[in-house]
Amino acid sequence: MNTSWLFKMAWRDSRRSRQRLLLFMSAIVLGIAALVAINSFGDNLARSIDEQARELLGADLTLSWSRTPTKRIQRLLTSIGQDRAYEVAFPSLVSIPRTGGVRLAQVKGLEGRFPYYGDWEVEPRSAIATFRRADQQVALVDDALLVQLGAQPGDSVRLGELSFLIAGRVEKTPGQAAIAATVAPTVFVPNRYLAGTGLLQRGSRVSYKYYYQFAPGTDVARAIRPVERRLERAGINTDTVADRKRQTGRAFGDLTKYLSLVAFVALLLGCVGVASAVQLYVKEKVASVAILRTLGASGRQAMLIYLLQTAIMGLIGATIGAVLGSVVQLALPQVFGRFLPIAVQTTLSVPAVMSGIGTGVLISVLFALLPLLSIRKVSPLRTLRSAYEADTAGRDPLRWLAYGLILAFIIGFAYWQTRNLQLAGWFTGGLVVAFSVLTAVSLGLIWLVRRLFPTAWSYVWRQSLANLYRPNNQTVILVTAIGLGAFLIATLYLTQGLLLSRVELSGSGQQPNMVLFDIQNEQIAGVRDAVREQKLPILQEVPVVTMRLTGINGRSSAADTAKPIDQPQQSARTDTTGPPPWAFTREYRVTYRDSLISSEKPASGQGPYQANGNVYISVEKDFLSRLRAKIGDTLDFNVQGLPLQTIIGGTREVDWNRVQTNFLVVFPAGVLEQAPQFRVLMTRVPDNQTSARLQRVLVSRFPNVSAIDLGLILKTLDEILGQISFVIRFMALFSILTGLLVLSSSVVLSKYQRLRESVLLRTLGASRKQILQITAIEYGLLGFLAALSGILLSIAGTWSLARFVFEVPYQIDPLPLLVVATTVTVLTLLIGLFNSRDVLARSPLDVLRGKG
Amino acid sequence: MSILRVEDLTRTYSSGGRDLTVLHGVSFAIEPGDTFSIVGPSGSGKTTLLGLCAGLDRATSGSVYLNDIRLDTLNEDQRAAIRNQYVGFIFQNFQLLPTLTALENVMVPLELRGEKGAKQTAQSLLERVGLGQRGHHYPTQLSGGEQQRVSLARAFANRPKILFADEPTGNLDTDTSATVIDLLFELNREAGTTLVLVTHDLDLAAKTNRIIRIKGGTMANG
């Protein structure tokens, strides 16, 4: 085949349509831009994590634990590294006396030079030195907490028995994303004052951590290898820079990969636009193809000429997209903002750019192939008979091959991004369903318009409506393209509302919505009084006993100890026959009662009971399988020094989504009453003011008692969801804009046909105003149909989520949907009118003379 | 050996569930270098006959031999190669590629054959039809007569053995028609090409050596 001639012909033939070709290739620009931006950002993030890995941890190594280690282990802990900093952390209510603000916060007592690496962003900076000197009762407080409590540096913050002067505002702690401060805002105090607060009581959930610094150049992993097994058996968690790098890298790697799928949706949308534009283009080119066929060109040659054109335009479109994406990625650190644990240095990512361009060319060619295949069948007979159309009709098995290639490409792309074949299959299936449903909805709406055609309406309306289903209409393609964008945005809003309503529902009716915990036995009467003083009900009072598991069916962690110390750790972790090692290092918080509560359902066996001197306990169903145990097995516990053997009597299913205490293990009554324990009390507060009042009373009378209410959970969740949906909305925006670009190119491509119609109408006496009205109504209707299709699909999708996944009653907030519908309709109308201005302005004579 | 031999040619179209025979049992043969007209009223089937003879369409039954090659056994791409090698075309509505200049239009058949020096050959052909200075113009920038002259240059570019002309003056005024026809016959004579002319203009048909009349899809005489 004469390849150079094909290139020459592709070039010559494109001369008069390059602008239009570029316009329809512009549909892929935004999709590629989104893809390149997110992948470049992912690459830069991975590199930044690599470069700033030590700052993620703030040290070379951290060791953390929650139960007091033995003396030998304590000696071991203080023998590691060159320097170390110590941290004690626990949740507690903190208050600002000046403002009366109270909130549950994370309290951290620090000692030493934390952080060793990275910048602790504190305002003013001098506050860090004051804090480290530890010669005054000073605190550094997370910015989020100061804002919520209406406090500022210079105020004092009360922790239990002591008050601390707020010396500085913490903007960022090394290795911690800003969003973490929203979930658990922290008050840092010098560790030496912590004991004086009186908050470190029995039952408090305290965790301890050492931050270590090693001599420069030390291989930390190697240095701790000899003691790693001992630490693990003592329940001490090890976190090295390499571990943290891996975890953070994986988490963000996954995030950027999933977001790249959102970007890919925009690209596919653009490709649907390309396919539709190429179809129109091919229709115009049929006469030229017939001439070439008459002169002796083969069907394949003719098709290749136009395939080359689209591939070259695809290359240009993808390159523009890649350049744009490289610019957009500069803004992504701001978009992700509070989620990033480190500062991301953005540079050009060549792999992201190259793969973006490659993807763009390939997918646009695949989509363009669908209409281009018909070129092979154009008969030369058309040169003799212009009305001859039988050639391109009929079925073409190669079309199915093209569809197959497109599907394979989508699955391949999704797999390449996520490395998860099942997810790639779901993604592709979901897309096919969304496209099919949108197409079906738009076809249905067109059918309805036809069926219920209002013959009595004015001419302008009738003409506009008829335009929606005239020959060569672009209604289905536009409704699908714009509708998918509307669907994405509407679904985001509805899902966010659904998640919030699910949490709200968990505390509705007579369900508890406030939990008071860490109540010591001797405080319970006082706390009850404090609750009743506020005229609040005591809905539940639960005793909690902490214990450890020492054996399952007689096999214990001791068996594990017997293994040689140099045995690879991996074998212990992958041993799937015996009890899992973690079962013996964690702390168990259990309660005791003889019956199940409303959030529990019996699954198998019986509830907790005593019989024949045996203690039968109830274990949560999923937890039992993770323990690799079954009903009838024995579990040996150590209840703060005393051994206690139990038998698994039954399992329960637990609804964890309630504002109340739920337990993995429940003992029968009459066993643990004398064990050291603390209590949890649940109540229902009518409003935020009452909640704040009760918390103020608690913090002054029982400083170690903590409280959390539904309002706080909702507020935190709302903020996190707001941040997440902002990121997704940013990515979905590319889909919306692509939909509008497809609209623009479609309007321009069908301009010639419209010009002739408008001229004909004007020749027959239609005024300019009438033409304008017809155009405006047509595009307004098109936008409305697109928004309606997208919103209908979105309601169906979120209804299924509500019904089958979240199991909450479905309610929709019509306002955001109304905003989406109006915005999409108005934008479609404006873009339609803007691109049709030429049709409206052109003189009829120009067109009739063939200058159109 | 005949350059074109048609044997018992029939063409039937299916339309609206009904079969419509537009050509029925046509047979004739044309010798190399001959000039030949097919005449008949509108809708008589003469364009259908031309399409079949030139290998643009396939007969329902019967055979067409072009340069002794049986066309109805070939697929569309094989027939395209035959057209490129042996056939030239002139159409009533010129059928120039609108996106190509006059020169490029003439070059297409030569380039399709992969011939070297296509540009020079095309340029000299344009000069021969009096359009040497208009090679860089697009079809829309040329008059009807000029477009048909470009079409003539293109038709002779691949030195065809047989030239099919479908109402070559149908879209031209009288004066321009005369010029184009003179040029057509002149070029044909110089190249020694066989000319098959489809027309309803009996004066034009009279310029050829042989005339066949088609009426209602059948040959009135030979």
Side-chain angles (χ1 to χ4, degrees):
Chain A
M1 185 177 299
N2 192 342
T3 316
S4 71
W5 177 74
L6 292 177
F7 272 96
K8 254 188 242 170
M9 276 303 292
W11 173 253
R12 289 171 188 161
D13 184 82
S14 71
R15 269 194 298 242
R16 297 216 147 175
S17 33
R18 267 175 220 157
Q19 268 184 329
R20 285 191 311 151
L21 278 166
L22 261 180
L23 180 70
F24 65 68
M25 275 305 167
S26 70
I28 64 162
V29 166
L30 289 177
I32 296 292
L35 202 59
V36 169
I38 196 72
N39 283 335
S40 299
F41 178 70
D43 288 352
N44 284 322
L45 186 61
R47 208 197 52 249
S48 300
I49 287 172
D50 233 32
E51 285 169 1
Q52 303 167 48
R54 290 197 304 187
E55 290 161 31
L56 283 172
L57 204 58
D60 291 313
L61 167 75
T62 66
L63 297 178
S64 54
W65 63 96
S66 57
R67 68 169 154 171
T68 316
T70 61
K71 286 262 174 335
R72 279 181 62 194
I73 294 291
Q74 277 182 29
R75 274 200 300 278
L76 173 66
L77 292 174
T78 50
S79 67
I80 298 172
Q82 194 181 45
D83 192 24
R84 65 183 180 279
Y86 183 53
E87 178 191 285
V88 179
F90 57 90
S92 172
L93 283 183
V94 300
S95 62
I96 304 290
R98 184 177 66 80
T99 61
V102 184
R103 190 203 194 277
L104 184 69
Q106 187 74 7
V107 176
K108 285 186 178 176
L110 275 177
E111 180 180 309
R113 293 192 303 115
F114 170 83
Y116 291 109
Y117 307 106
D119 194 17
W120 201 8
E121 289 174 28
V122 177
E123 187 58 38
R125 287 204 68 85
S126 59
I128 298 178
T130 316
F131 179 85
R132 281 188 182 150
R133 273 201 306 278
D135 52 6
Q136 303 167 50
Q137 282 173 217
V138 290
L140 302 178
V141 182
D142 266 343
D143 180 53
L145 188 60
L146 288 179
V147 172
Q148 284 176 28
L149 298 178
Q152 54 197 13
D155 281 336
S156 65
V157 56
R158 190 156 183 90
L159 303 178
E161 307 288 330
L162 294 183
S163 279
F164 293 80
L165 173 73
I166 301 175
R169 178 193 300 274
V170 178
E171 306 278 0
K172 194 171 181 321
T173 307
Q176 201 180 47
I179 195 88
T182 307
V183 182
T186 307
V187 176
F188 297 91
V189 294
N191 186 44
R192 57 182 290 207
Y193 299 109
L194 215 51
T197 61
L199 295 173
L200 290 169
Q201 298 197 16
R202 192 185 60 235
S204 302
R205 281 156 312 146
V206 187
S207 64
Y208 308 87
K209 189 185 267 183
Y210 268 131
Y211 294 89
Y212 293 96
Q213 188 184 37
F214 284 74
T218 310
D219 180 346
V220 177
R222 206 167 147 190
I224 60 155
R225 198 164 298 142
V227 294
E228 216 169 359
R229 299 271 303 151
R230 272 177 73 195
L231 293 172
E232 194 186 332
R233 279 199 301 273
I236 292 172
N237 296 319
T238 314
D239 208 0
T240 62
V241 171
D243 291 338
R244 185 61 69 92
K245 194 163 86 178
R246 207 165 33 243
Q247 289 157 10
T248 317
R250 196 186 305 143
F252 279 93
D254 286 349
L255 178 69
T256 52
K257 277 169 189 163
Y258 293 134
L259 283 176
S260 75
L261 291 185
V262 181
F264 191 54
V265 172
L267 178 60
L268 287 179
L269 213 54
C271 286
V272 173
V274 168
S276 132
V278 170
Q279 191 169 18
L280 277 186
Y281 184 66
V282 165
K283 271 186 184 159
E284 278 179 32
K285 291 290 178 183
V286 162
S288 293
V289 172
I291 297 171
L292 280 172
R293 302 282 279 131
T294 306
L295 298 177
S298 69
R300 196 159 149 237
Q301 280 175 319
M303 185 189 78
L304 282 174
I305 290 170
Y306 295 99
L307 194 65
L308 272 174
Q309 278 183 0
T310 46
I312 291 165
M313 291 303 154
L315 179 68
I316 295 171
T319 309
I320 296 171
V323 171
L324 187 64
S326 299
V327 175
V328 169
Q329 68 132 339
L330 298 177
L332 287 184
Q334 270 73 50
V335 174
F336 281 89
R338 291 163 59 79
F339 287 104
L340 295 177
I342 46 161
V344 179
Q345 307 298 325
T346 44
T347 56
L348 185 76
S349 165
V350 176
V353 167
M354 296 316 285
S355 63
I357 293 176
T359 307
V361 173
L362 208 61
I363 192 79
S364 56
V365 164
L366 279 179
F367 271 83
L369 201 57
L370 284 170
L372 286 175
L373 281 173
S374 64
I375 286 183
R376 289 162 33 254
K377 301 220 161 181
V378 170
S379 166
L381 209 55
R382 283 178 185 256
T383 48
L384 295 175
R385 300 180 188 282
S386 58
Y388 186 78
E389 278 186 358
D391 49 356
T392 52
R395 293 176 182 208
D396 186 350
L398 276 186
R399 279 182 77 84
W400 292 109
L401 180 70
Y403 282 123
L405 283 174
I406 289 171
L407 269 187
F409 184 85
I410 296 172
I411 294 176
F413 180 89
Y415 176 73
W416 174 52
Q417 292 287 327
T418 61
R419 304 277 164 207
N420 181 338
L421 195 60
Q422 201 184 5
L423 188 78
W426 278 108
F427 173 75
T428 313
L431 270 180
V432 171
V433 169
F435 273 95
S436 312
V437 171
L438 276 172
T439 308
V441 170
S442 52
L443 282 172
L445 288 172
I446 295 170
W447 179 82
L448 271 179
V449 169
R450 264 187 118 139
R451 176 104 189 170
L452 309 171
F453 194 79
T455 42
W457 287 14
S458 74
Y459 166 73
V460 167
W461 273 92
R462 281 185 286 123
Q463 179 69 28
S464 312
L465 282 168
N467 278 351
L468 293 176
Y469 55 81
R470 63 166 166 200
N472 294 332
N473 73 74
Q474 295 286 92
T475 308
V476 172
I477 203 79
L478 288 178
V479 168
T480 307
I482 304 168
L484 197 65
F487 162 74
L488 284 176
I489 297 285
T491 303
L492 272 178
Y493 273 115
L494 292 177
T495 311
Q496 198 174 340
L498 218 55
L499 284 171
L500 288 173
S501 72
R502 188 182 187 211
V503 178
E504 265 169 13
L505 189 77
S506 68
S508 64
Q510 281 313 303
Q511 302 286 340
N513 64 2
M514 186 174 202
V515 180
L516 311 181
F517 51 97
D518 288 350
I519 307 167
Q520 304 298 310
N521 258 349
E522 60 274 18
Q523 294 173 319
I524 187 69
V527 173
R528 275 186 211 137
D529 289 345
V531 172
R532 285 186 191 124
E533 274 167 30
Q534 302 297 323
K535 301 194 170 41
L536 297 173
I538 292 167
L539 296 174
Q540 232 180 61
E541 214 184 278
V542 184
V544 179
V545 180
T546 57
M547 57 184 70
R548 292 193 170 273
L549 185 65
T550 55
I552 302 178
N553 290 332
R555 286 183 75 179
S556 65
S557 53
D560 199 35
T561 323
K563 287 176 186 164
I565 202 119
D566 57 352
Q567 184 170 331
Q569 275 185 35
Q570 207 56 31
S571 67
R573 280 184 187 149
T574 52
D575 174 15
T576 52
T577 54
W582 56 260
F584 301 108
T585 54
R586 59 163 294 156
E587 191 176 59
Y588 291 75
R589 286 157 187 271
V590 311
T591 191
Y592 53 87
R593 51 180 145 82
D594 284 334
S595 56
L596 300 185
I597 56 170
S598 64
S599 61
E600 298 171 324
K601 270 196 304 196
S604 57
Q606 292 182 44
Y609 64 99
Q610 287 192 74
N612 309 324
N614 289 326
V615 176
Y616 291 90
I617 56 168
S618 170
V619 180
E620 196 259 343
K621 192 178 152 209
D622 293 335
F623 187 69
L624 186 75
S625 65
R626 282 166 57 213
L627 275 182
R628 297 180 203 140
K630 57 185 186 310
I631 292 175
D633 284 354
T634 60
L635 298 185
D636 300 318
F637 286 100
N638 178 332
V639 186
Q640 295 171 46
L642 288 174
L644 178 62
Q645 191 179 65
T646 63
I647 299 168
I648 302 171
T651 59
R652 293 159 298 133
E653 280 177 25
V654 178
D655 175 9
W656 297 98
N657 300 299
R658 298 274 187 93
V659 188
Q660 69 179 63
T661 48
N662 280 309
F663 296 89
L664 294 172
V665 177
V666 177
F667 273 63
V671 181
L672 296 172
E673 276 76 355
Q674 299 312 313
Q677 55 193 270
F678 64 92
R679 295 197 171 245
V680 175
L681 189 149
M682 274 157 279
T683 181
R684 180 168 182 80
V685 289
D687 49 47
N688 288 343
Q689 287 74 20
T690 317
S691 169
R693 224 169 25 241
L694 177 61
Q695 290 187 53
R696 272 197 293 274
V697 171
L698 288 173
V699 86
S700 64
R701 290 193 212 161
F702 310 102
N704 66 299
V705 173
S706 292
I708 188 156
D709 68 355
L710 186 67
L712 184 63
I713 298 174
L714 271 176
K715 195 164 169 287
T716 311
L717 184 69
D718 194 26
E719 198 162 326
I720 295 170
L721 287 178
Q723 286 282 329
I724 294 173
S725 66
F726 174 68
V727 174
I728 302 176
R729 262 205 301 270
F730 182 80
M731 298 308 294
L733 188 71
F734 285 90
S735 294
I736 293 267
L737 291 177
T738 297
L740 294 177
L741 256 178
V742 171
L743 169 70
S744 301
S745 74
S746 154
V747 176
V748 172
L749 286 172
S750 59
K751 193 158 78 180
Y752 185 68
Q753 187 186 351
R754 283 166 184 284
L755 262 173
R756 298 202 71 83
E757 277 171 12
S758 124
V759 164
L760 197 61
L761 285 175
R762 280 166 73 183
T763 314
L764 294 174
S767 70
R768 217 187 187 86
K769 191 178 155 201
Q770 281 172 316
I771 306 272
L772 181 74
Q773 282 173 337
I774 291 170
T775 316
I777 294 172
E778 186 190 338
Y779 285 113
L781 280 171
L782 204 58
F784 179 70
L785 286 185
L788 195 64
S789 308
I791 288 171
L792 284 179
L793 183 61
S794 155
I795 290 176
T798 47
W799 176 85
S800 312
L801 265 184
R803 176 91 172 73
F804 302 111
V805 182
F806 296 146
E807 294 174 4
V808 291
Y810 190 58
Q811 278 180 333
I812 43 173
D813 180 4
L815 191 69
L817 298 185
L818 211 63
V819 172
V820 172
T822 313
T823 314
V824 170
T825 308
V826 170
L827 270 176
T828 311
L829 191 149
L830 290 178
I831 289 175
L833 280 182
F834 179 77
N835 286 300
S836 308
R837 65 196 188 285
D838 204 26
V839 177
L840 300 166
R842 195 70 70 87
S843 106
L845 209 56
D846 275 356
V847 182
L848 291 178
R849 278 181 180 153
K851 292 179 187 170
Chain B
M1 183 189 76
S2 304
I3 184 73
L4 179 71
R5 197 166 81 248
V6 172
E7 292 176 355
D8 201 16
L9 210 57
T10 297
R11 182 68 169 102
T12 305
Y13 291 104
S14 288
S15 175
R18 232 160 43 91
D19 283 349
L20 181 70
T21 301
V22 289
L23 213 60
H24 184 71
V26 175
S27 301
F28 62 85
I30 304 173
E31 298 310 310
D34 208 354
T35 56
F36 187 90
S37 290
I38 302 169
V39 295
S42 209
S44 59
K46 53 187 192 301
T47 300
T48 302
L49 179 58
L50 178 96
L52 289 168
C53 292
L56 297 177
D57 194 10
R58 256 179 160 160
T60 311
S61 66
S63 310
V64 176
Y65 293 85
L66 199 146
N67 202 34
D68 234 18
I69 301 164
R70 189 172 166 179
L71 294 185
D72 46 284
T73 57
L74 305 179
N75 66 28
E76 176 46 48
D77 282 347
Q78 289 166 328
R79 294 203 302 271
I82 298 292
R83 287 196 294 273
N84 183 243
Q85 209 176 342
Y86 301 117
V87 182
F89 285 99
I90 312 261
F91 298 98
Q92 178 176 356
N93 50 1
F94 327 128
Q95 298 290 18
L96 296 176
L97 290 161
T99 51
L100 269 54
T101 62
L103 182 69
E104 288 165 351
N105 262 291
V106 182
M107 284 161 68
V108 169
L110 297 164
E111 288 178 326
L112 266 171
R113 290 163 78 140
E115 277 192 19
K116 290 209 163 63
K119 195 170 179 182
Q120 289 74 18
T121 311
Q123 179 62 33
S124 62
L125 275 164
L126 277 181
E127 277 162 16
R128 178 69 189 82
V129 297
L131 293 172
Q133 302 302 312
R134 308 293 302 271
H136 58 284
H137 284 87
Y138 287 96
T140 50
Q141 296 167 319
L142 301 171
S143 69
E146 287 169 331
Q147 287 191 51
Q148 196 59 306
R149 280 192 276 159
V150 175
S151 178
L152 275 174
R154 182 181 67 182
F156 284 98
N158 60 341
R159 296 175 300 281
K161 284 189 183 298
I162 186 164
L163 185 72
F164 292 96
D166 179 28
E167 302 281 9
T169 56
N171 273 1
L172 303 175
D173 59 55
T174 318
D175 289 345
T176 317
S177 291
T179 318
V180 167
I181 288 302
D182 288 347
L183 199 53
L184 169 64
F185 278 90
E186 223 174 284
L187 285 168
N188 193 55
R189 210 167 27 249
E190 286 169 16
T193 312
T194 309
L195 175 68
V196 179
L197 196 65
V198 165
T199 183
H200 61 264
D201 179 351
L202 293 178
D203 291 339
L204 176 57
K207 291 179 187 277
T208 59
N209 299 340
R210 275 178 72 195
I211 298 176
I212 62 164
R213 286 172 208 282
I214 299 282
K215 197 173 176 188
T218 54
M219 268 171 68
N221 57 30

